[in-house]
Amino acid sequence: RKEVEQDPGPFNVPEGATVAFNCTYSNSASQSFFWYRQDCRKEPKLLMSVYSSGNEDGRFTAQLNRASQYISLLIRDSKLSDSATYLCVVKILLLAGGYNKLIFGAGTRLAVHP
Amino acid sequence: DVKVTQSSRYLVKRTGEKVFLECVQDMDHENMFWYRQDPGLGLRLIYFSYDVKMKEKGDIPEGYSVSREKKERFSLILESASTNQTSMYLCASRHAALNEKLFFGSGTQLSVL
């Protein structure tokens, strides 16, 4: 079982639609959670962190459910420019050396059409 | 803006060749990482370095080595390239104290024939 699992999609939605992605993680010791965005043939970039109480950044809302071990990303009023792959990322503390490690999901592809 | 620069965007090598992938960052970041990205598998960590001269194995270090002689530069070395090392390689860096955000280079698409 993958440590971080996402539905690969694609999610094809019209402009203006609301779309939501979920991501599940298997390590209950996961500390922090993030969504990264990756445009086609480009590098990933941090979209937003996910806080325990949920958080919003404009049209984007992230939620965390520790009991069920999943995080979600909701995009309201989708724009053509939202078309990208959204990567779910989980931070785990490594006992050896006190380092932490980021584990990436394989991503969910979103295609917004006119 | 942080800049993470990878030396090549596309690279074609032959099986058995020694391959060097270079990564340079200009923000004095302590931590640097090498990932490979394959369809359906996401980003997988090959090696990372928490500071100069330091290196730690990631999840898939076999067939790779790294070098961090200077803080700004983190090199990935394929000792003897094989076809299963054909992949997109992404370098990333981050500030140790603000260790949430990774900054990625634009990637090197390596093809091993």
PDB file of all heavy atoms in Angstrom, chain B residues 34-59:
ATOM      1  N   TRP B  34      17.318  15.284  -3.916  1.00  0.00           N
ATOM      2  CA  TRP B  34      17.132  14.772  -5.268  1.00  0.00           C
ATOM      3  C   TRP B  34      15.970  13.786  -5.266  1.00  0.00           C
ATOM      4  O   TRP B  34      15.940  12.841  -4.462  1.00  0.00           O
ATOM      5  CB  TRP B  34      18.380  14.054  -5.783  1.00  0.00           C
ATOM      6  CG  TRP B  34      19.371  14.981  -6.416  1.00  0.00           C
ATOM      7  CD1 TRP B  34      20.558  15.393  -5.896  1.00  0.00           C
ATOM      8  CD2 TRP B  34      19.266  15.602  -7.705  1.00  0.00           C
ATOM      9  NE1 TRP B  34      21.200  16.246  -6.763  1.00  0.00           N
ATOM     10  CE2 TRP B  34      20.436  16.386  -7.885  1.00  0.00           C
ATOM     11  CE3 TRP B  34      18.307  15.577  -8.725  1.00  0.00           C
ATOM     12  CZ2 TRP B  34      20.655  17.124  -9.034  1.00  0.00           C
ATOM     13  CZ3 TRP B  34      18.539  16.322  -9.869  1.00  0.00           C
ATOM     14  CH2 TRP B  34      19.703  17.082 -10.018  1.00  0.00           C
ATOM     15  N   TYR B  35      15.013  14.035  -6.186  1.00  0.00           N
ATOM     16  CA  TYR B  35      13.877  13.159  -6.386  1.00  0.00           C
ATOM     17  C   TYR B  35      13.885  12.674  -7.832  1.00  0.00           C
ATOM     18  O   TYR B  35      14.403  13.331  -8.717  1.00  0.00           O
ATOM     19  CB  TYR B  35      12.556  13.909  -6.182  1.00  0.00           C
ATOM     20  CG  TYR B  35      12.243  14.334  -4.771  1.00  0.00           C
ATOM     21  CD1 TYR B  35      12.688  15.568  -4.275  1.00  0.00           C
ATOM     22  CD2 TYR B  35      11.480  13.525  -3.931  1.00  0.00           C
ATOM     23  CE1 TYR B  35      12.383  15.970  -2.985  1.00  0.00           C
ATOM     24  CE2 TYR B  35      11.163  13.927  -2.637  1.00  0.00           C
ATOM     25  CZ  TYR B  35      11.617  15.143  -2.186  1.00  0.00           C
ATOM     26  OH  TYR B  35      11.306  15.544  -0.902  1.00  0.00           O
ATOM     27  N   ARG B  36      13.218  11.544  -8.054  1.00  0.00           N
ATOM     28  CA  ARG B  36      12.834  11.187  -9.403  1.00  0.00           C
ATOM     29  C   ARG B  36      11.325  11.067  -9.444  1.00  0.00           C
ATOM     30  O   ARG B  36      10.688  10.697  -8.453  1.00  0.00           O
ATOM     31  CB  ARG B  36      13.517   9.908  -9.912  1.00  0.00           C
ATOM     32  CG  ARG B  36      13.221   8.648  -9.196  1.00  0.00           C
ATOM     33  CD  ARG B  36      13.938   7.440  -9.830  1.00  0.00           C
ATOM     34  NE  ARG B  36      13.255   6.953 -11.027  1.00  0.00           N
ATOM     35  CZ  ARG B  36      13.700   5.956 -11.796  1.00  0.00           C
ATOM     36  NH1 ARG B  36      14.833   5.342 -11.482  1.00  0.00           N
ATOM     37  NH2 ARG B  36      13.048   5.573 -12.868  1.00  0.00           N
ATOM     38  N   GLN B  37      10.773  11.428 -10.616  1.00  0.00           N
ATOM     39  CA  GLN B  37       9.325  11.407 -10.765  1.00  0.00           C
ATOM     40  C   GLN B  37       8.969  10.545 -11.952  1.00  0.00           C
ATOM     41  O   GLN B  37       9.419  10.793 -13.079  1.00  0.00           O
ATOM     42  CB  GLN B  37       8.770  12.832 -10.975  1.00  0.00           C
ATOM     43  CG  GLN B  37       7.265  12.896 -11.017  1.00  0.00           C
ATOM     44  CD  GLN B  37       6.727  14.314 -11.055  1.00  0.00           C
ATOM     45  OE1 GLN B  37       7.379  15.218 -11.571  1.00  0.00           O
ATOM     46  NE2 GLN B  37       5.534  14.524 -10.500  1.00  0.00           N
ATOM     47  N   ASP B  38       8.159   9.529 -11.703  1.00  0.00           N
ATOM     48  CA  ASP B  38       7.713   8.608 -12.738  1.00  0.00           C
ATOM     49  C   ASP B  38       6.195   8.553 -12.730  1.00  0.00           C
ATOM     50  O   ASP B  38       5.574   8.637 -11.662  1.00  0.00           O
ATOM     51  CB  ASP B  38       8.297   7.214 -12.491  1.00  0.00           C
ATOM     52  CG  ASP B  38       9.825   7.232 -12.483  1.00  0.00           C
ATOM     53  OD1 ASP B  38      10.392   7.380 -13.567  1.00  0.00           O
ATOM     54  OD2 ASP B  38      10.423   7.123 -11.395  1.00  0.00           O
ATOM     55  N   PRO B  39       5.578   8.380 -13.903  1.00  0.00           N
ATOM     56  CA  PRO B  39       4.110   8.364 -13.978  1.00  0.00           C
ATOM     57  C   PRO B  39       3.506   7.330 -13.031  1.00  0.00           C
ATOM     58  O   PRO B  39       3.950   6.178 -12.985  1.00  0.00           O
ATOM     59  CB  PRO B  39       3.849   7.992 -15.446  1.00  0.00           C
ATOM     60  CG  PRO B  39       5.067   8.435 -16.173  1.00  0.00           C
ATOM     61  CD  PRO B  39       6.208   8.232 -15.224  1.00  0.00           C
ATOM     62  N   GLY B  40       2.509   7.757 -12.274  1.00  0.00           N
ATOM     63  CA  GLY B  40       1.813   6.858 -11.374  1.00  0.00           C
ATOM     64  C   GLY B  40       2.526   6.576 -10.062  1.00  0.00           C
ATOM     65  O   GLY B  40       1.944   5.966  -9.158  1.00  0.00           O
ATOM     66  N   LEU B  41       3.760   7.023  -9.951  1.00  0.00           N
ATOM     67  CA  LEU B  41       4.523   6.736  -8.726  1.00  0.00           C
ATOM     68  C   LEU B  41       4.792   7.979  -7.885  1.00  0.00           C
ATOM     69  O   LEU B  41       5.248   7.878  -6.755  1.00  0.00           O
ATOM     70  CB  LEU B  41       5.863   6.079  -9.073  1.00  0.00           C
ATOM     71  CG  LEU B  41       5.771   4.710  -9.728  1.00  0.00           C
ATOM     72  CD1 LEU B  41       7.166   4.188 -10.064  1.00  0.00           C
ATOM     73  CD2 LEU B  41       5.059   3.717  -8.809  1.00  0.00           C
ATOM     74  N   GLY B  42       4.576   9.138  -8.426  1.00  0.00           N
ATOM     75  CA  GLY B  42       4.865  10.356  -7.677  1.00  0.00           C
ATOM     76  C   GLY B  42       6.352  10.605  -7.562  1.00  0.00           C
ATOM     77  O   GLY B  42       7.173   9.972  -8.230  1.00  0.00           O
ATOM     78  N   LEU B  43       6.705  11.532  -6.706  1.00  0.00           N
ATOM     79  CA  LEU B  43       8.106  11.852  -6.480  1.00  0.00           C
ATOM     80  C   LEU B  43       8.679  10.892  -5.446  1.00  0.00           C
ATOM     81  O   LEU B  43       8.091  10.696  -4.380  1.00  0.00           O
ATOM     82  CB  LEU B  43       8.263  13.282  -5.947  1.00  0.00           C
ATOM     83  CG  LEU B  43       8.263  14.399  -6.972  1.00  0.00           C
ATOM     84  CD1 LEU B  43       6.866  14.694  -7.460  1.00  0.00           C
ATOM     85  CD2 LEU B  43       8.892  15.651  -6.389  1.00  0.00           C
ATOM     86  N   ARG B  44       9.815  10.321  -5.752  1.00  0.00           N
ATOM     87  CA  ARG B  44      10.488   9.427  -4.808  1.00  0.00           C
ATOM     88  C   ARG B  44      11.860   9.979  -4.471  1.00  0.00           C
ATOM     89  O   ARG B  44      12.605  10.391  -5.374  1.00  0.00           O
ATOM     90  CB  ARG B  44      10.590   8.021  -5.412  1.00  0.00           C
ATOM     91  CG  ARG B  44       9.246   7.323  -5.553  1.00  0.00           C
ATOM     92  CD  ARG B  44       9.404   5.932  -6.127  1.00  0.00           C
ATOM     93  NE  ARG B  44       9.829   5.964  -7.520  1.00  0.00           N
ATOM     94  CZ  ARG B  44      10.302   4.905  -8.178  1.00  0.00           C
ATOM     95  NH1 ARG B  44      10.421   3.744  -7.565  1.00  0.00           N
ATOM     96  NH2 ARG B  44      10.658   5.017  -9.440  1.00  0.00           N
ATOM     97  N   LEU B  45      12.173   9.970  -3.193  1.00  0.00           N
ATOM     98  CA  LEU B  45      13.401  10.597  -2.717  1.00  0.00           C
ATOM     99  C   LEU B  45      14.581   9.667  -2.918  1.00  0.00           C
ATOM    100  O   LEU B  45      14.582   8.529  -2.445  1.00  0.00           O
ATOM    101  CB  LEU B  45      13.245  10.950  -1.224  1.00  0.00           C
ATOM    102  CG  LEU B  45      14.417  11.644  -0.567  1.00  0.00           C
ATOM    103  CD1 LEU B  45      14.662  13.006  -1.197  1.00  0.00           C
ATOM    104  CD2 LEU B  45      14.139  11.812   0.929  1.00  0.00           C
ATOM    105  N   ILE B  46      15.611  10.182  -3.587  1.00  0.00           N
ATOM    106  CA  ILE B  46      16.800   9.384  -3.865  1.00  0.00           C
ATOM    107  C   ILE B  46      17.843   9.606  -2.766  1.00  0.00           C
ATOM    108  O   ILE B  46      18.297   8.669  -2.112  1.00  0.00           O
ATOM    109  CB  ILE B  46      17.404   9.749  -5.231  1.00  0.00           C
ATOM    110  CG1 ILE B  46      16.351   9.616  -6.337  1.00  0.00           C
ATOM    111  CG2 ILE B  46      18.618   8.865  -5.552  1.00  0.00           C
ATOM    112  CD1 ILE B  46      16.791  10.181  -7.678  1.00  0.00           C
ATOM    113  N   TYR B  47      18.228  10.838  -2.588  1.00  0.00           N
ATOM    114  CA  TYR B  47      19.195  11.231  -1.565  1.00  0.00           C
ATOM    115  C   TYR B  47      18.840  12.632  -1.081  1.00  0.00           C
ATOM    116  O   TYR B  47      18.215  13.404  -1.809  1.00  0.00           O
ATOM    117  CB  TYR B  47      20.618  11.295  -2.155  1.00  0.00           C
ATOM    118  CG  TYR B  47      21.449  10.053  -1.977  1.00  0.00           C
ATOM    119  CD1 TYR B  47      21.525   9.096  -2.985  1.00  0.00           C
ATOM    120  CD2 TYR B  47      22.185   9.844  -0.804  1.00  0.00           C
ATOM    121  CE1 TYR B  47      22.314   7.956  -2.837  1.00  0.00           C
ATOM    122  CE2 TYR B  47      22.976   8.711  -0.650  1.00  0.00           C
ATOM    123  CZ  TYR B  47      23.031   7.767  -1.671  1.00  0.00           C
ATOM    124  OH  TYR B  47      23.809   6.642  -1.527  1.00  0.00           O
ATOM    125  N   PHE B  48      19.283  12.958   0.129  1.00  0.00           N
ATOM    126  CA  PHE B  48      19.160  14.329   0.587  1.00  0.00           C
ATOM    127  C   PHE B  48      20.385  14.714   1.405  1.00  0.00           C
ATOM    128  O   PHE B  48      21.163  13.854   1.829  1.00  0.00           O
ATOM    129  CB  PHE B  48      17.867  14.549   1.370  1.00  0.00           C
ATOM    130  CG  PHE B  48      17.690  13.709   2.601  1.00  0.00           C
ATOM    131  CD1 PHE B  48      17.946  14.244   3.851  1.00  0.00           C
ATOM    132  CD2 PHE B  48      17.225  12.400   2.522  1.00  0.00           C
ATOM    133  CE1 PHE B  48      17.754  13.487   4.998  1.00  0.00           C
ATOM    134  CE2 PHE B  48      17.038  11.640   3.662  1.00  0.00           C
ATOM    135  CZ  PHE B  48      17.295  12.175   4.901  1.00  0.00           C
ATOM    136  N   SER B  49      20.505  16.010   1.592  1.00  0.00           N
ATOM    137  CA  SER B  49      21.660  16.544   2.303  1.00  0.00           C
ATOM    138  C   SER B  49      21.178  17.664   3.206  1.00  0.00           C
ATOM    139  O   SER B  49      20.545  18.611   2.731  1.00  0.00           O
ATOM    140  CB  SER B  49      22.692  17.081   1.304  1.00  0.00           C
ATOM    141  OG  SER B  49      23.690  17.819   1.966  1.00  0.00           O
ATOM    142  N   TYR B  50      21.485  17.561   4.493  1.00  0.00           N
ATOM    143  CA  TYR B  50      21.039  18.597   5.411  1.00  0.00           C
ATOM    144  C   TYR B  50      22.013  19.745   5.529  1.00  0.00           C
ATOM    145  O   TYR B  50      21.666  20.807   6.043  1.00  0.00           O
ATOM    146  CB  TYR B  50      20.680  18.004   6.778  1.00  0.00           C
ATOM    147  CG  TYR B  50      19.243  17.555   6.791  1.00  0.00           C
ATOM    148  CD1 TYR B  50      18.886  16.315   6.253  1.00  0.00           C
ATOM    149  CD2 TYR B  50      18.233  18.379   7.233  1.00  0.00           C
ATOM    150  CE1 TYR B  50      17.559  15.927   6.204  1.00  0.00           C
ATOM    151  CE2 TYR B  50      16.906  17.997   7.191  1.00  0.00           C
ATOM    152  CZ  TYR B  50      16.570  16.768   6.670  1.00  0.00           C
ATOM    153  OH  TYR B  50      15.245  16.383   6.620  1.00  0.00           O
ATOM    154  N   ASP B  51      23.241  19.522   5.056  1.00  0.00           N
ATOM    155  CA  ASP B  51      24.207  20.616   5.045  1.00  0.00           C
ATOM    156  C   ASP B  51      25.420  20.175   4.248  1.00  0.00           C
ATOM    157  O   ASP B  51      25.506  19.015   3.815  1.00  0.00           O
ATOM    158  CB  ASP B  51      24.586  21.017   6.477  1.00  0.00           C
ATOM    159  CG  ASP B  51      24.889  22.502   6.624  1.00  0.00           C
ATOM    160  OD1 ASP B  51      25.339  23.117   5.618  1.00  0.00           O
ATOM    161  OD2 ASP B  51      24.706  23.051   7.720  1.00  0.00           O
ATOM    162  N   VAL B  52      26.375  21.070   4.103  1.00  0.00           N
ATOM    163  CA  VAL B  52      27.578  20.773   3.327  1.00  0.00           C
ATOM    164  C   VAL B  52      28.253  19.507   3.853  1.00  0.00           C
ATOM    165  O   VAL B  52      28.327  19.301   5.066  1.00  0.00           O
ATOM    166  CB  VAL B  52      28.574  21.948   3.411  1.00  0.00           C
ATOM    167  CG1 VAL B  52      29.812  21.658   2.565  1.00  0.00           C
ATOM    168  CG2 VAL B  52      27.924  23.232   2.963  1.00  0.00           C
ATOM    169  N   LYS B  53      28.706  18.688   2.950  1.00  0.00           N
ATOM    170  CA  LYS B  53      29.424  17.436   3.238  1.00  0.00           C
ATOM    171  C   LYS B  53      28.524  16.354   3.851  1.00  0.00           C
ATOM    172  O   LYS B  53      28.998  15.251   4.108  1.00  0.00           O
ATOM    173  CB  LYS B  53      30.604  17.668   4.197  1.00  0.00           C
ATOM    174  CG  LYS B  53      31.574  18.744   3.776  1.00  0.00           C
ATOM    175  CD  LYS B  53      32.591  18.232   2.818  1.00  0.00           C
ATOM    176  CE  LYS B  53      33.681  19.307   2.606  1.00  0.00           C
ATOM    177  NZ  LYS B  53      34.588  18.959   1.533  1.00  0.00           N
ATOM    178  N   MET B  54      27.268  16.663   4.088  1.00  0.00           N
ATOM    179  CA  MET B  54      26.369  15.676   4.673  1.00  0.00           C
ATOM    180  C   MET B  54      25.507  15.052   3.591  1.00  0.00           C
ATOM    181  O   MET B  54      25.113  15.741   2.638  1.00  0.00           O
ATOM    182  CB  MET B  54      25.470  16.320   5.725  1.00  0.00           C
ATOM    183  CG  MET B  54      26.209  16.814   6.935  1.00  0.00           C
ATOM    184  SD  MET B  54      25.132  17.713   8.042  1.00  0.00           S
ATOM    185  CE  MET B  54      24.054  16.394   8.599  1.00  0.00           C
ATOM    186  N   LYS B  55      25.219  13.786   3.741  1.00  0.00           N
ATOM    187  CA  LYS B  55      24.301  13.128   2.822  1.00  0.00           C
ATOM    188  C   LYS B  55      23.613  11.979   3.525  1.00  0.00           C
ATOM    189  O   LYS B  55      24.191  11.333   4.404  1.00  0.00           O
ATOM    190  CB  LYS B  55      25.040  12.625   1.575  1.00  0.00           C
ATOM    191  CG  LYS B  55      26.162  11.658   1.852  1.00  0.00           C
ATOM    192  CD  LYS B  55      26.899  11.321   0.568  1.00  0.00           C
ATOM    193  CE  LYS B  55      28.064  10.375   0.855  1.00  0.00           C
ATOM    194  NZ  LYS B  55      28.885  10.131  -0.356  1.00  0.00           N
ATOM    195  N   GLU B  56      22.363  11.767   3.124  1.00  0.00           N
ATOM    196  CA  GLU B  56      21.564  10.686   3.689  1.00  0.00           C
ATOM    197  C   GLU B  56      20.841   9.983   2.555  1.00  0.00           C
ATOM    198  O   GLU B  56      20.384  10.643   1.616  1.00  0.00           O
ATOM    199  CB  GLU B  56      20.520  11.235   4.669  1.00  0.00           C
ATOM    200  CG  GLU B  56      21.076  11.915   5.897  1.00  0.00           C
ATOM    201  CD  GLU B  56      21.628  10.943   6.918  1.00  0.00           C
ATOM    202  OE1 GLU B  56      21.242   9.757   6.869  1.00  0.00           O
ATOM    203  OE2 GLU B  56      22.431  11.382   7.769  1.00  0.00           O
ATOM    204  N   LYS B  57      20.707   8.684   2.674  1.00  0.00           N
ATOM    205  CA  LYS B  57      19.966   7.935   1.671  1.00  0.00           C
ATOM    206  C   LYS B  57      18.474   8.218   1.826  1.00  0.00           C
ATOM    207  O   LYS B  57      17.954   8.308   2.938  1.00  0.00           O
ATOM    208  CB  LYS B  57      20.221   6.437   1.833  1.00  0.00           C
ATOM    209  CG  LYS B  57      21.634   6.029   1.468  1.00  0.00           C
ATOM    210  CD  LYS B  57      21.837   4.537   1.647  1.00  0.00           C
ATOM    211  CE  LYS B  57      23.262   4.150   1.258  1.00  0.00           C
ATOM    212  NZ  LYS B  57      23.512   2.702   1.453  1.00  0.00           N
ATOM    213  N   GLY B  58      17.831   8.302   0.677  1.00  0.00           N
ATOM    214  CA  GLY B  58      16.383   8.401   0.663  1.00  0.00           C
ATOM    215  C   GLY B  58      15.769   7.027   0.513  1.00  0.00           C
ATOM    216  O   GLY B  58      16.293   6.035   1.012  1.00  0.00           O
ATOM    217  N   ASP B  59      14.680   6.962  -0.220  1.00  0.00           N
ATOM    218  CA  ASP B  59      13.952   5.700  -0.364  1.00  0.00           C
ATOM    219  C   ASP B  59      14.516   4.798  -1.459  1.00  0.00           C
ATOM    220  O   ASP B  59      14.367   3.583  -1.403  1.00  0.00           O
ATOM    221  CB  ASP B  59      12.480   5.985  -0.658  1.00  0.00           C
ATOM    222  CG  ASP B  59      11.818   6.731   0.479  1.00  0.00           C
ATOM    223  OD1 ASP B  59      12.056   6.352   1.647  1.00  0.00           O
ATOM    224  OD2 ASP B  59      11.081   7.697   0.218  1.00  0.00           O
TER     225      ASP B  59
END
